[in-house]
Amino acid sequence: MKLPSIKFKLPKLKIYGIDVIKNALFFTFYIILTLFIIAFIMAPSIKEFKSTKNAYFLSEQEFENTKQTYQSILEKLTKLQNQNQKILNAFKRNFNKNNFKLFAKNYINIIKITKQNTTPYKDKFIKTSYMITAQIKSPKNFYDFVDNIKNYKNIIRVYFPIDFEKSNKEINLTFKIEHYKLTAKAEEKAH
Amino acid sequence: MYSFTKAKKKNYFKEDTKLWLIFYFISVFLYVSFALFLLVKSYFYTKYYQSNNQNIMILNTKISSLSLQKENIKLQKTLYENIMVKNSLIKDSIKNLLDLIPDPITLNKFLLKKNSLIIYGITPTKDVYNLLMLPPLESIFSNTKTIFYQMPNGWYKFKSINTLKGNNETAFN
């Protein structure tokens, strides 16, 4: 059996030599093609572009804010460090018996310094106790010593027991001091 | 047969069809180029975004480190101030104790501990001690005990043991 052959031919309508129907079909196809490209290529690209652009600008803004926060914290920290440099340095220094005797010489006459024990204090500090045997001429010497201990290069606390005993013209004095220092670990973290 | 004209090669596309095809090609090329341009831009935006995020993470780590340092400094400052205040308090404790001693009574020795005070001294009479020294001691300490020893000249050596009840209390402050 022979299949019937379908022959289709566009009708021709010419105006001033232009094939109106063919050009209309080309135009229609052009519109369809454009819509297709917009729908499947342009729209996703624009969407992607917009979302990445927004994300970028948001991250840029967040970065600027974080940078400002960092700068402000850094400034405050530097200021705080400068204001408390003396204290911070004092917490890093080791205790030296001879140096302490030299410092105390102006107020009390230290005869003996005996190290007692070393214990951790509040995780970040080490507390070392020393018993001090000294002589003073009047209690005022001891008051002056305690008043001026804040000017010493270490952090020293005068602590109990405190024993005053009169002996001829002098007063024998026995008391405890505690030296506070940053632990090596805390010192590392401070930098 | 002879012809005056040569046979022209027949074009596959007609002139207007060619124009349309070129127009299609240029349009598609422009559309795709624009789409590609946007995609390249998106790619760079994503790169910058990722770099910004990484920088933010680094800055946040630095910020936490700085905050930790700040806390550390504040902790050291607070401890320093506490120690200095406590030193002053100890000085004041001893000053107050010595101010407590009335004129007729002589102080030989005292031992000040965190919750107790032991005083050794000489008093002309027990009454002088009980009238002038005992009341202020009793007002400070929760428990006061005095032992007297008579001396050959009739005066009394005394040992006064004073204690506080609370563990966190400190005498004379």
Side-chain angles (χ1 to χ4, degrees):
Chain A
M1 207 177 89
K2 203 179 172 186
L3 285 168
S5 60
I6 302 160
K7 279 187 180 175
F8 176 75
K9 222 176 177 186
L10 276 174
K12 279 190 180 174
L13 174 65
K14 284 193 174 183
I15 299 170
Y16 296 111
I18 298 164
D19 193 338
V20 178
I21 293 174
K22 189 177 86 177
N23 281 303
L25 277 173
F26 268 119
F27 179 73
T28 313
F29 183 69
Y30 178 75
I31 297 291
I32 292 166
L33 185 73
T34 307
L35 288 174
F36 182 84
I37 289 172
I38 287 172
F40 293 101
I41 299 174
M42 298 289 285
S45 312
I46 291 170
K47 199 180 163 191
E48 170 80 7
F49 172 76
K50 270 190 171 178
S51 76
T52 50
K53 190 181 162 190
N54 280 343
Y56 164 71
F57 280 110
L58 278 175
S59 74
E60 189 74 12
Q61 202 178 357
E62 199 186 332
F63 177 59
E64 280 304 317
N65 290 343
T66 319
K67 211 159 87 176
Q68 272 180 9
T69 313
Y70 171 75
Q71 285 295 341
S72 109
I73 292 178
L74 187 70
E75 254 173 53
K76 278 182 193 167
L77 181 77
T78 316
K79 203 175 159 190
L80 200 69
Q81 269 175 336
N82 291 338
Q83 280 170 348
N84 300 288
Q85 201 59 53
K86 194 188 145 200
I87 301 169
L88 300 180
N89 287 338
F91 270 111
K92 286 177 198 159
R93 291 194 190 106
N94 289 320
F95 182 75
N96 182 293
K97 285 181 187 177
N98 291 330
N99 191 277
F100 188 67
K101 269 186 191 175
L102 209 69
F103 160 79
K105 199 175 74 177
N106 299 325
Y107 318 99
I108 59 174
N109 176 28
I110 294 181
I111 295 160
K112 201 168 84 179
I113 302 178
T114 318
K115 187 175 173 180
Q116 280 197 317
N117 58 356
T118 302
T119 48
Y121 181 78
K122 284 185 179 173
D123 296 336
K124 290 182 176 167
F125 302 96
I126 301 169
K127 182 174 82 179
T128 312
S129 304
Y130 297 89
M131 273 314 283
I132 294 197
T133 310
Q135 279 186 330
I136 48 172
K137 287 203 166 66
S138 89
K140 197 189 170 292
N141 297 138
F142 183 71
Y143 306 153
D144 290 343
F145 165 73
V146 177
D147 277 339
N148 282 288
I149 216 157
K150 61 175 178 283
N151 299 324
Y152 188 54
K153 63 175 190 168
N154 289 125
I155 306 291
I156 303 286
R157 181 185 176 185
V158 178
Y159 199 57
F160 305 108
I162 298 170
D163 186 13
F164 274 64
E165 189 172 3
K166 208 174 126 189
S167 153
N168 298 326
K169 283 181 182 174
E170 294 199 318
I171 300 168
N172 290 332
L173 181 64
T174 311
F175 61 100
K176 190 160 104 173
I177 59 161
E178 289 171 344
H179 168 238
Y180 290 82
K181 190 183 178 286
L182 266 183
T183 58
K185 208 176 163 187
E187 219 174 297
E188 259 176 47
K189 274 185 188 173
H191 292 291
Chain B
M1 237 169 87
Y2 181 79
S3 174
F4 288 102
T5 55
K6 278 185 179 174
K8 276 184 186 170
K9 213 178 177 183
K10 199 182 177 184
N11 283 335
Y12 194 75
F13 294 116
K14 281 186 178 170
E15 217 40 48
D16 52 351
T17 311
K18 254 190 210 170
L19 274 172
W20 272 111
L21 288 176
I22 290 167
F23 182 61
Y24 277 15
F25 177 77
I26 291 170
S27 295
V28 170
F29 175 76
L30 286 175
Y31 284 142
V32 172
S33 304
F34 184 61
L36 274 175
F37 167 76
L38 290 182
L39 285 176
V40 169
K41 269 267 196 190
S42 300
Y43 170 76
F44 282 111
Y45 275 139
T46 313
K47 274 247 168 197
Y48 297 146
Y49 163 78
Q50 281 168 351
S51 142
N52 272 349
N53 272 0
Q54 211 172 350
N55 287 338
I56 289 167
M57 265 171 63
I58 293 167
L59 276 181
N60 278 335
T61 319
K62 281 185 180 174
I63 286 171
S64 354
S65 156
L66 290 186
S67 305
L68 215 71
Q69 280 186 47
K70 207 169 137 186
E71 287 305 308
N72 214 5
I73 292 171
K74 279 184 181 171
L75 191 78
Q76 289 181 55
K77 194 184 168 193
T78 312
L79 179 63
Y80 169 81
E81 282 166 356
N82 276 345
I83 288 172
M84 292 311 138
V85 168
K86 280 171 182 169
N87 281 348
S88 285
L89 288 177
I90 282 210
K91 184 196 80 181
D92 293 341
S93 300
I94 293 165
K95 226 177 186 175
N96 291 343
L97 167 68
L98 295 178
D99 289 346
L100 267 183
I101 313 297
D103 278 342
I105 292 172
T106 313
L107 197 70
N108 285 335
K109 177 184 167 146
F110 70 82
L111 176 63
L112 186 64
K113 288 185 179 172
K114 197 180 175 190
N115 298 309
S116 70
L117 169 70
I118 302 170
I119 306 171
Y120 297 87
I122 296 166
T123 174
T125 60
K126 281 186 185 177
D127 287 342
V128 168
Y129 175 87
N130 288 335
L131 277 170
L132 299 174
M133 186 131 171
L134 194 59
L137 286 174
E138 277 178 338
S139 69
I140 298 165
F141 294 96
S142 46
N143 196 8
T144 300
K145 195 180 152 192
T146 315
I147 306 159
F148 292 98
Y149 308 93
Q150 195 165 24
M151 290 162 68
N153 64 357
W155 285 32
Y156 289 90
K157 271 189 178 179
F158 69 88
K159 180 184 178 183
S160 165
I161 304 160
N162 309 279
T163 48
L164 283 169
K165 257 184 196 167
N167 287 331
N168 295 321
E169 287 176 88
T170 306
F172 301 103
N173 290 315

